């Protein structure tokens, strides 16, 4: 029963709901057509994209905390229910099983599991995104690093789950990888880096 609840939590179509309710747009009809955070940033802007990012992270966190709330507080169950939420996010029942690419919701699992790991991972991801301005490339680089990070934490259970999620995330980005190889992948410009680049372009 808790597994089904974790799947439903993961299935909640955050980007699609925010687009339809507040902007009368279905983000699947714009940009990459994806339902996740990156396409929300591109289609709806910084604030809606950030809201989707936070909620999608919390989907993984809430699902991971379900066994804790019901007195089954083991590391294994936290990770297991978090992974179920990731499956729900990628294959949501509410969107005919066509969802996001697992990045934000996967991050939410680590927040439920070990907030120290989450913070360090967020710093790594942010630095790489700053350098590349491309979310897909950042994800492809970051997730193998998260597996190594788990090994540095001497946590073999976390490292195993991180490795499995890494393979899944890279597989979900196969179309992005092809665009990266072709040089057609669209970068995501926002924040200070965007302002700096914009100023340079006017010189």
């Amino acid at each position: 029963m808790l597994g089904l609840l974790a799947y439903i939590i993961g299935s909640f179509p955050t980007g699609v709901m925010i687009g339809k309710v507040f902007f009368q747009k279905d983000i699947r009809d714009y940009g990459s057509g994806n339902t996740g955070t990156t396409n929300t940033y591109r289609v709806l802007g910084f604030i809606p994209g950030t809201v989707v990012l936070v909620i999608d992270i919390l989907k993984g966190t809430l699902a991971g905390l379900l066994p804790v709330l019901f007195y089954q507080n083991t590391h294994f169950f936290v990770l297991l229910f978090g992974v179920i939420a990731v499956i729900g996010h990628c294959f949501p029942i509410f969107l005919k099983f066509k969802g996001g690419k697992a990045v934000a919701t996967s991050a939410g699992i680590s927040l439920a599991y070990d907030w120290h790991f989450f913070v360090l991972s967020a710093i790594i991801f942010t630095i790489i995104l700053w350098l590349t301005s491309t979310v897909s490339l950042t994800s492809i680089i970051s997730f193998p690093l998260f597996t190594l990070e788990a090994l540095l934490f001497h946590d073999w259970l976390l490292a195993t789950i991180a490795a499995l999620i890494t393979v899944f995330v890279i597989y979900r980005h196969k179309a992005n990888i092809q665009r990266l190889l072709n040089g057609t992948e669209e970068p995501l410009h926002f924040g200070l880096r965007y302002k700096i680049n914009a100023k340079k372009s006017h010189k």
Side-chain angles (χ1 to χ4, degrees):
M1 197 66 182
L2 285 183
L4 178 60
L5 180 56
Y7 171 79
I8 291 173
I9 291 171
S11 290
F12 181 76
T14 316
V16 173
M17 288 295 295
I18 287 179
K20 287 185 174 182
V21 172
F22 295 102
F23 298 89
Q24 292 74 55
K25 285 184 177 181
D26 188 334
I27 63 172
R28 293 172 294 179
D29 296 331
Y30 302 87
S32 66
N34 193 262
T35 64
T37 300
T38 304
N39 202 40
T40 306
Y41 272 117
R42 289 196 179 108
V43 176
L44 302 180
F46 180 79
I47 293 177
T50 302
V51 171
V52 171
L53 172 64
V54 171
I55 294 176
D56 281 355
I57 288 174
L58 291 178
K59 290 195 308 186
T61 303
L62 178 58
L65 289 176
L66 285 177
V68 178
L69 297 174
F70 287 88
Y71 310 107
Q72 295 179 347
N73 186 13
T74 68
H75 288 164
F76 172 76
F77 281 109
V78 170
L79 293 174
L80 174 62
F81 282 89
V83 168
I84 293 173
V86 168
I87 294 172
H89 176 76
C90 295
F91 308 104
I93 192 171
F94 305 115
L95 299 178
K96 299 180 179 178
F97 305 103
K98 296 180 180 179
K101 296 183 177 178
V103 175
T105 306
S106 296
I109 303 173
S110 65
L111 180 57
Y113 185 83
D114 184 341
W115 69 268
H116 301 90
F117 184 89
F118 172 81
V119 170
L120 181 56
S121 299
I123 292 171
I124 292 171
F125 191 92
T126 302
I127 291 173
I128 297 174
L129 180 59
W130 176 272
L131 294 173
T132 66
S133 294
T134 308
V135 177
S136 58
L137 181 58
T138 300
S139 301
I140 292 165
I141 295 173
S142 296
F143 271 78
L145 294 179
F146 299 157
T147 302
L148 294 176
E149 179 189 344
L151 291 173
L152 291 176
F153 273 60
H154 302 288
D155 191 328
W156 288 98
L157 177 61
L158 179 59
T160 300
I161 297 299
L164 292 174
I165 291 177
T166 295
V167 172
F168 183 63
V169 166
I170 292 175
Y171 171 76
R172 294 287 290 176
H173 282 82
K174 58 184 184 298
N176 303 84
I177 293 172
Q178 188 60 54
R179 289 195 294 270
L180 286 167
L181 293 174
N182 294 338
T184 57
E185 180 74 328
E186 182 182 354
L188 181 66
H189 295 300
F190 60 85
L192 180 60
R193 183 184 176 116
Y194 173 77
K195 293 177 182 178
I196 291 173
N197 288 341
K199 288 179 181 178
K200 287 180 179 178
S201 66
H202 285 88
K203 288 184 178 179

